[in-house]
């Protein structure tokens, strides 16, 4: 089986093959032999090339949170669409998300506005700190999902841009 | 003995105090704001009362509400925890007027030690070394410049009623003094309602070492040794340990005695801490008195075997101290790591959200003082401290290794926390060597990222892949590839019933 996971902004393709009760997992040039204890729920106990790892996992809002040896990762599973490139060709879109949960203080643009790179799109406030959300590129505001006073989550798109 | 105690706080410290009270046979009452309705500390008490809206001023800082609640539930004592109203003389006075025992020093002592200038004067008179500097507030820039000239640069502007680094500004050249004074005053006014500031000599790369004291109402005061609190960020402690590598037994004895003298000079009763700063030449100076039970109290408990919160309750009940200085001794080494709901990769900005999975480490010498559980919603209203991990070992290296293993097994999923960061602090060569100064984090951890090693990332991917396989397999049908490995009849191999081997 093939999977595509996104961790810390990077997409990784993983393939899993099962043979004789063992799993072979491949990622790029790397290959591992994996066994695991099927009755282990949380933590999942894995033996990767002979070394034992206990991995804790929990899912929320379609994202998998994983903890390994005290380090935490947020893993998003992406559907593999054969044939189509991720970028989608003409009209490449870009989403702007707040870096921390908070409340929208200001929205400085409306749909249809042309914006420059680093132009302030919105301001989000939390714990008395204000975060100015700047445009990552020159483009056109495709969609605005929030208004002042809305409470927002980190990583959830609040403004969508498209290239012009 | 106190019969019914109201705990005017929340989270991990509320649970800590409630636990000690229950062990002493007291009835307990918790208070909570509407956003804390499902908080673990609420269920821990015999009774709980909602005291208002989430904003602290409406609830945990609402003196009227708290006093009324205490009277309503017929409490005879109030424990303020730390933070909130713990060092607020007005709250202590209101408790005193309402004939509620305030578990802490008197309101008079609180007023005295809350004023840094008054404390400095009192300590100097008692013959305790204080940081060279002013004993009165700054009148104007010229006054300040004259004083600075006398002290020599660099100097530190400090708020008289301050704490937590607010109102503090380092000034290295006289040209910067005017601006530093103005901005320090502004911050002090906004944080404490009073813009009084003073200056003292700035100590570079200090070690921050504090002594725990306990005093009863009959004049008996003992110290319970020191805590090294030098690993800090924005004046907030992150890692504390005891004993301090910087003290030998002679220095420990000498400063311990000074700490007791300092406590006596302000008529201190109940639990408190005398803070000292150590410079690079080995000189030490009184810094301030913390008139409360502190966050890091568990490390003292681990090495001395004394339950400090129980002692607080006993002292407040009018019991004389049953410990003499000769009775108190330290054994082994303890380290505390503070677990905050903050993102260390994003300037330690608070990371509110839901804890979707919690697993706390355990084992000999591993203690977690926690105020959270799976499903707990961390809000943006309060201090982001979630819990404390405290490890004890026979020596520092043993304790450190135990801390590393325990942090590796501390799982808080759904929000960003300081766990991964603390893991790297404890494994840093500078930490292993005991090079703990207040600039530890700036010097050694800047640009830190959670990513860990390739191994961490690879295992995360492998686990996600295996988990996805497992989930999609069970969806396909009754007999699947996955089912085979769960079926012991197929995996057991060759066996027979009823026959003995051989």
């Amino acid at each position: 089986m093939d999977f595509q996971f996104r961790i810390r902004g990077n997409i990784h393709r993983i393939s899993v093959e099962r043979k004789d009760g063992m799993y072979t997992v491949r990622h790029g040039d790397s290959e591992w032999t994996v066994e695991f204890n099927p009755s282990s729920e949380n933590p999942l106990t894995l033996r990767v090339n002979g070394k034992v790892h206990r991995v804790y996992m929990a899912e929320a809002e379609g994202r998998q949170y994983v903890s390994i040896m005290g380090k935490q990762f947020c893993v998003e599973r992406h559907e593999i669409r054969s044939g189509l490139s991720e970028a989608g060709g003409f009209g490449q879109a870009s989403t702007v998300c707040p870096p921390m949960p908070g409340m929208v203080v200001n929205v400085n643009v409306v749909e249809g506005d042309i914006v420059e790179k680093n132009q302030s799109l919105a301001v989000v406030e939390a714990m008395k700190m204000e975060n100015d959300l700047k445009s990552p590129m020159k483009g056109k505001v495709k969609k605005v999902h929030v208004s002042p006073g809305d409470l927002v989550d980190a990583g959830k798109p609040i403004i969508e841009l498209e290239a012009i | 003995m106190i019969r019914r105690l109201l705990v005017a706080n929340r989270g991990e410290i509320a649970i800590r105090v409630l636990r000690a009270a229950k062990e002493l046979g007291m009835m307990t009452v918790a208070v909570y704001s509407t956003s804390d309705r499902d908080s673990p500390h609420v269920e821990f008490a015999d009774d709980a009362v909602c005291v208002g809206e989430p904003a602290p001023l409406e609830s945990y800082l609402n003196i009227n509400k708290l006093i009324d609640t205490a009277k309503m539930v017929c409490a005879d004592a109030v424990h303020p925890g730390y933070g909130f109203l713990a060092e607020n003389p007005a709250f202590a006075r209101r408790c005193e007027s309402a004939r509620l025992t305030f578990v802490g020093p008197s309101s008079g002592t609180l007023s005295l030690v809350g004023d840094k200038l008054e404390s400095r004067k009192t300590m100097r008179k008692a013959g305790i070394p204080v940081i060279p500097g002013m004993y009165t507030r700054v009148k104007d820039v010229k006054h300040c410049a004259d004083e600075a000239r006398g002290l020599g640069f660099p100097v530190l502007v400090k708020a008289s009623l301050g704490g937590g680094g607010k109102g503090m500004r380092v000034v290295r050249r006289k040209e910067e003094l005017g601006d530093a004074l103005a901005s320090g005053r502004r911050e002090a006014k906004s944080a404490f309602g009073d813009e009084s500031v003073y200056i003292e000599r700035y100590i570079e790369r200090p070690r921050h070492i504090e002594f725990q004291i306990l005093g009863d109402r009959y004049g008996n005061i003992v110290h319970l040794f020191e805590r090294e609190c030098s690993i800090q960020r924005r004046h907030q402690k992150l890692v504390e340990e005891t004993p301090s590598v910087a003290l030998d037994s002679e220095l420990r004895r000498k400063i311990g005695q000074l700490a007791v003298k300092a406590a006596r000079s302000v008529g201190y009763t109940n639990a408190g801490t005398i803070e000292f700063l150590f410079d690079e030449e080995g000189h030490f100076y009184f810094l301030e008195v913390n008139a409360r039970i502190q966050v890091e109290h568990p490390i003292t408990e681990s090495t001395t075997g004394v339950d400090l919160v129980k002692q607080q309750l006993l002292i407040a009940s009018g019991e004389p101290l049953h410990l003499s200085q000769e009775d108190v001794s330290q054994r082994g080494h303890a380290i505390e790591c503070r677990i905050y709901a903050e993102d260390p990769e994003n300037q330690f900005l608070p990371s509110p959200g839901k804890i979707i999975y919690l697993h706390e480490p355990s084992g000999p010498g591993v203690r977690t003082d926690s105020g959270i559980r799976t499903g707990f919603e961390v809000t943006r209203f309060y201090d982001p401290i979630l819990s404390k991990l405290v490890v004890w070992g026979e020596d520092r290296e043993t304790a450190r290794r135990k801390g590393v293993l325990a942090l590796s097994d501390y799982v808080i999923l759904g929000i960003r926390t300081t766990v991964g960061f603390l893991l790297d602090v404890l494994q840093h060569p500078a930490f292993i060597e005991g090079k703990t100064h207040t600039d530890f984090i700036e010097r050694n951890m800047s640009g830190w990222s959670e990513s860990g090693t390739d191994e961490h990332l690879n295992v995360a991917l492998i686990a996600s892949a295996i988990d996805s396989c497992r989930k999609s397999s069970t969806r396909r049908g009754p007999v699947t590839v996955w089912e085979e490995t769960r079926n012991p009849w197929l995996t057991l191999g060759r066996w027979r019933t009823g026959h003995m081997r051989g």
Side-chain angles (χ1 to χ4, degrees):
Chain A
M1 289 185 73
D2 286 320
F3 303 99
Q4 208 164 242
F5 297 111
R6 182 159 141 154
I7 295 185
R8 301 178 69 85
N10 296 317
I11 300 208
H12 303 266
R13 292 182 93 107
I14 310 283
S15 76
V16 183
E17 195 190 297
R18 191 178 165 274
K19 206 161 85 169
D20 303 327
M22 306 272 265
Y23 288 80
T24 303
V25 180
R26 287 186 193 87
H27 169 43
D29 293 328
S30 308
E31 191 180 291
W32 303 279
T33 305
V34 183
E35 300 166 85
F36 71 102
N37 184 348
S39 54
S40 67
E41 287 287 335
N42 215 349
L44 178 64
T45 309
L46 299 173
R47 196 193 286 270
V48 178
N49 286 356
K51 184 169 171 187
V52 176
H53 293 276
R54 289 161 80 235
V55 184
Y56 291 86
M57 298 195 280
E59 207 182 292
E61 291 160 18
R63 269 175 266 150
Q64 181 89 281
Y65 291 85
V66 180
S67 175
I68 290 142
M69 298 186 277
K71 298 283 177 181
Q72 203 190 131
F73 296 90
C74 182
V75 184
E76 277 170 29
R77 186 162 151 200
H78 281 222
E79 293 310 316
I80 297 174
R81 279 166 295 198
S82 52
L84 294 174
S85 73
E86 291 294 296
F90 171 74
Q92 185 176 345
S94 179
T95 53
V96 180
C97 315
M100 60 179 179
M103 187 182 78
V104 178
V105 175
N106 268 328
V107 179
N108 301 325
V109 295
V110 294
E111 287 168 26
D113 278 356
I114 307 290
V115 295
E116 296 296 318
K117 186 170 169 177
N118 284 333
Q119 180 172 335
S120 171
L121 301 175
V123 178
V124 175
E125 178 265 330
M127 300 281 284
K128 300 192 181 157
M129 275 177 270
E130 287 192 350
N131 229 276
D132 199 2
L133 297 183
K134 300 197 167 97
S135 178
M137 64 195 215
K138 182 180 161 87
K140 184 160 134 178
V141 178
K142 184 171 154 194
K143 201 116 184 57
V144 173
H145 294 288
V146 296
S147 353
D150 286 352
L151 291 177
V152 291
D153 286 328
K156 284 257 174 79
I158 63 171
I159 290 179
E160 284 176 55
L161 304 168
E162 56 187 7
I164 42 167
Chain B
M1 185 66 91
I2 292 169
R3 272 165 307 144
R4 186 174 268 117
L5 178 76
L6 182 135
V7 180
N9 214 300
R10 60 179 299 280
E12 71 87 15
I13 193 61
I15 294 180
R16 175 74 189 91
V17 176
L18 290 167
R19 196 190 296 281
K22 283 192 190 184
E23 286 180 25
L24 288 171
M26 296 171 184
M27 290 298 287
T28 56
V29 183
V31 297
Y32 60 94
S33 69
T34 51
S35 63
D36 272 339
R37 204 178 292 271
D38 296 322
S39 215
H41 81 274
V42 175
E43 297 162 3
F44 209 80
D46 298 308
D47 227 326
V49 182
C50 181
V51 288
E53 298 293 298
L57 282 171
E58 309 285 327
S59 47
Y60 300 103
L61 288 174
N62 188 333
I63 296 181
N64 289 331
K65 205 68 205 284
L66 292 167
I67 300 285
D68 287 345
T69 303
K71 287 185 186 160
M72 179 184 81
V73 301
C74 302
D76 48 346
V78 176
H79 193 302
Y82 55 64
F84 289 139
L85 295 167
E87 292 166 280
N88 187 313
F91 182 54
R93 229 173 288 128
R94 285 288 299 274
C95 288
E96 286 156 16
S97 318
R99 289 219 271 273
L100 286 163
T101 302
F102 176 79
V103 182
S106 68
S107 55
T109 302
L110 285 176
S111 294
L112 173 56
V113 302
D115 185 328
K116 294 214 158 102
L117 281 172
E118 287 305 313
S119 308
R120 279 169 61 77
K121 279 192 271 197
T122 308
M123 295 306 165
R124 184 177 62 161
K125 247 201 315 225
I128 292 165
V130 297
I131 301 173
M134 296 174 66
Y135 295 93
T136 56
R137 55 182 57 98
V138 167
K139 290 199 273 270
D140 51 45
V141 187
K142 178 166 186 319
H143 176 213
C144 190
D146 290 339
E147 294 281 346
R149 217 182 345 264
L151 286 171
F153 287 90
V155 298
L156 184 63
V157 174
K158 285 176 88 160
S160 180
L161 293 179
K166 296 227 163 82
M168 273 171 57
R169 294 285 184 281
V170 185
V171 184
R172 296 189 183 277
R173 295 172 315 144
K174 65 175 169 26
E175 296 76 31
E176 299 164 7
L177 199 53
D179 282 340
L181 212 51
S183 85
R185 278 192 196 279
R186 270 198 305 270
E187 203 169 65
K189 183 80 198 257
S190 140
F192 315 113
D194 185 314
E195 58 162 37
S196 305
V197 294
Y198 66 101
I199 61 169
E200 57 185 35
R201 186 182 296 158
Y202 178 64
I203 298 183
E204 310 268 12
R205 295 203 83 211
R207 279 188 189 262
H208 175 131
I209 301 179
E210 59 189 34
F211 272 73
Q212 177 72 49
I213 54 113
L214 278 176
D216 65 20
R217 293 207 209 139
Y218 311 100
N220 302 306
I221 302 182
V222 299
H223 74 81
L224 290 102
F225 309 103
E226 80 280 10
R227 292 185 288 255
E228 161 83 63
C229 302
S230 302
I231 299 199
Q232 305 181 357
R233 171 205 66 77
R234 279 210 296 260
H235 302 284
Q236 192 176 52
K237 298 167 188 170
L238 211 51
V239 179
E240 302 102 343
E241 59 182 307
T242 183
S244 168
V245 300
L247 300 184
D248 58 29
S249 52
E250 185 46 41
L251 202 48
R252 179 171 293 116
R253 197 191 53 81
K254 182 164 140 192
I255 303 176
Q257 281 179 348
L258 281 177
V260 171
K261 192 169 173 196
R264 209 179 287 288
S265 73
V266 296
Y268 203 88
T269 55
N270 214 284
T273 299
I274 315 291
E275 290 191 359
F276 294 92
L277 276 192
F278 279 67
D279 68 17
E280 290 181 291
E281 281 101 56
H283 303 124
F284 59 91
Y285 309 94
F286 165 80
L287 182 61
E288 63 186 19
V289 178
N290 292 331
R292 62 182 186 268
I293 187 76
Q294 289 199 262
V295 176
E296 59 269 29
H297 76 270
I299 55 176
T300 296
E301 294 185 325
S302 298
T303 51
T304 59
V306 175
D307 184 321
L308 291 169
V309 180
K310 263 198 195 157
Q311 289 296 321
Q312 282 192 291
L313 295 170
L314 290 168
I315 290 168
S317 295
E319 291 287 310
L321 260 185
H322 290 288
L323 296 162
S324 68
Q325 195 63 65
E326 294 73 47
D327 292 330
V328 192
S329 63
Q330 266 188 312
R331 189 174 159 255
H333 197 102
I335 300 176
E336 172 181 278
C337 292
R338 296 193 188 190
I339 315 294
Y340 284 106
E342 289 176 342
D343 188 350
E345 282 184 286
N346 193 5
Q347 302 156 72
F348 290 85
L349 284 174
S351 167
K354 187 169 184 157
I355 295 176
I356 58 175
Y357 188 84
L358 175 71
H359 168 85
E360 293 178 324
S362 56
V366 177
R367 167 177 166 178
T368 52
D369 276 21
S370 158
I372 51 175
R373 57 143 161 253
T374 296
F376 186 73
E377 188 79 48
V378 179
T379 65
R380 52 193 178 87
F381 295 106
Y382 310 115
D383 189 275
I385 192 162
L386 299 174
S387 65
K388 292 126 51 174
L389 170 67
V390 181
V391 292
W392 180 91
E394 290 77 14
D395 53 48
R396 188 173 188 267
E397 181 55 19
T398 307
R400 189 193 68 83
R401 290 210 199 152
K402 206 173 276 242
V404 169
L405 274 176
L407 284 166
S408 308
D409 205 29
Y410 211 138
V411 184
I412 305 176
L413 295 178
I415 54 172
R416 314 284 321 125
T417 67
T418 50
V419 172
F421 183 83
L422 288 161
L423 199 48
D424 288 342
V425 168
L426 252 55
Q427 293 179 97
H428 197 285
F431 185 85
I432 298 175
E433 289 166 43
K435 296 199 173 121
T436 49
H437 301 265
T438 55
D439 61 354
F440 183 99
I441 291 185
E442 273 161 40
R443 259 191 193 216
N444 302 306
M445 310 290 295
S446 63
W448 179 85
S449 103
E450 175 96 33
S451 9
T453 59
D454 284 344
E455 185 181 27
H456 289 106
L457 180 66
N458 291 336
V459 176
L461 289 166
I462 291 168
S464 303
I466 300 285
D467 189 62
S468 298
C469 268
R470 176 153 73 158
K471 286 184 177 140
S472 60
S473 295
T474 53
R475 275 201 291 272
R476 273 209 219 112
V479 180
T480 64
V481 158
W482 175 230
E483 290 293 338
E484 274 173 52
T485 55
R486 277 198 165 161
N487 188 339
W489 305 111
L490 299 173
T491 55
L492 218 42
R494 289 163 58 93
W495 57 277
R496 289 178 296 174
T497 55
H499 293 262
M500 295 283 276
R501 259 189 60 179

